Amino acid sequence: MTRFSIPLLLALFATGSHAFVARPSVASAPTGPRQLHLNAVDPMHIFDSASTFLADSASSSDYIPGTSGEVSYSRASYYTILGLYLTSFPGLWSTIKRSTSAKVKQKTFVAPGENAPSGKGLRDQAGEIMAYMTANNYEVADAGETITFKGVVQRSLSQALFLVFITGMSMATLALVLNIQFVDLELPVIGKPNWYLLTLISPYAGIYYWSKGDRIDEISFKMEANDDDTENSITVLGSEEEIERMWRQLDWQEKGMVKVPGLLDAA
């Protein structure tokens, strides 16, 4: 072995041991990215990030929930729809007011006369009408050429509850519109108003209906027969609801109309 052999071996040994020690540091380099990847799928990490993002967004003055913060609707369309809503809103009062009175209508019906198959004469027709009206708590008020009946229509609890319901829903929608339109309104004494308190008005619709009490309805009949006594003409003036119920039960046909049998009638 020459004198250069010993230094050369020492140099090689030192280089080999240095390489052996350095490998763990190279192999441990991927540990950082793997840790970041695990944090990315950690539920708590995602929740914290989302909470921070929403808090920053909500703190913005022009933030609108469900949007990117920009107003994207047409103001012309918005105010047009708002105007139509306010125009139709008085219909609520009309519905409440009409519930206390009957809608009077006049209709003319025809029925087979005395000389028609399965027909009735005017006297028998009048007896049939009399029996129907008496069964529905009506009494004869006038018996001349025109027969007039009077009857008491009692108050309906279901009608009162229905009026309370539709009034409450209408007030709730109005409160929603006012809440959107006047979002920054501050009143001098009460501060920011709670528009949904308008729904407390709804019971008064039922009270108004109930305070009117039972109503008295009048229904008048005028009967005529054609020259051949094959058809009777019956003109009725009274509550539309009662007229509709009556002609179906007595199997009349409205004059000038064609009765089309339904599927159940054909069966």
Side-chain angles (χ1 to χ4, degrees):
M1 181 178 296
T2 61
R3 59 181 179 175
F4 297 101
S5 302
I6 296 176
L8 181 59
L9 292 174
L10 292 175
L12 289 173
F13 178 78
T15 304
S17 43
H18 176 71
F20 178 78
V21 173
R23 284 180 183 176
S25 63
V26 175
S28 62
T31 324
R34 184 181 296 113
Q35 183 65 28
L36 291 176
H37 177 70
L38 292 176
N39 288 338
V41 298
D42 183 20
M44 293 303 297
H45 176 74
I46 296 174
F47 178 77
D48 294 339
S49 301
S51 300
T52 304
F53 173 76
L54 292 176
D56 294 341
S57 300
S59 62
S60 177
S61 60
D62 59 351
Y63 171 71
I64 300 177
T67 68
S68 60
E70 299 178 356
V71 178
S72 59
Y73 63 87
S74 170
R75 291 188 178 274
S77 300
Y78 170 75
Y79 285 109
T80 300
I81 296 174
L82 179 61
L84 292 174
Y85 172 79
L86 295 178
T87 302
S88 62
F89 197 80
L92 173 65
W93 168 245
S94 177
T95 302
I96 297 173
K97 189 176 181 179
R98 285 188 292 107
S99 66
T100 60
S101 60
K103 183 179 180 181
V104 178
K105 209 164 187 178
Q106 178 174 314
K107 288 187 176 184
T108 302
F109 300 92
V110 293
E114 185 176 6
N115 293 333
S118 303
K120 298 183 180 70
L122 291 180
R123 184 178 296 274
D124 293 337
Q125 196 85 63
E128 182 184 51
I129 294 173
M130 178 76 71
Y132 173 85
M133 299 304 293
T134 304
N136 286 274
N137 300 322
Y138 282 86
E139 297 179 353
V140 178
D142 186 16
E145 184 179 352
T146 300
I147 305 175
T148 303
F149 294 88
K150 284 187 178 181
V152 177
V153 179
Q154 295 182 346
R155 297 172 294 186
S156 172
L157 179 60
S158 60
Q159 178 72 9
L161 294 177
F162 172 73
L163 293 175
V164 172
F165 173 74
I166 62 173
T167 304
M169 294 299 294
S170 300
M171 290 296 109
T173 58
L174 177 62
L176 179 61
V177 171
L178 295 175
N179 201 34
I180 295 173
Q181 182 66 25
F182 305 106
V183 64
D184 296 326
L185 179 64
E186 292 284 344
L187 297 179
V189 179
I190 63 175
K192 189 173 183 180
N194 184 359
W195 298 110
Y196 290 98
L197 293 177
L198 290 172
T199 56
L200 299 178
I201 302 175
S202 58
Y204 289 97
I207 294 174
Y208 173 81
Y209 166 79
W210 202 260
S211 64
K212 293 298 180 178
D214 302 334
R215 73 170 190 262
I216 298 177
D217 280 358
E218 288 189 5
I219 302 180
S220 60
F221 299 86
K222 184 178 181 180
M223 296 178 293
E224 295 176 346
N226 62 359
D227 296 336
D228 300 332
D229 287 335
T230 57
E231 185 178 82
N232 296 332
S233 177
I234 308 162
T235 302
V236 186
L237 176 64
S239 169
E240 182 182 19
E241 181 180 354
E242 187 62 43
I243 292 175
E244 288 294 321
R245 183 166 52 246
M246 179 176 55
W247 76 262
R248 295 179 187 277
Q249 184 169 339
L250 298 180
D251 197 23
W252 292 347
Q253 180 178 330
E254 189 172 355
K255 190 173 184 179
M257 306 292 287
V258 177
K259 185 176 180 181
V260 179
L263 295 177
L264 297 178
D265 295 337

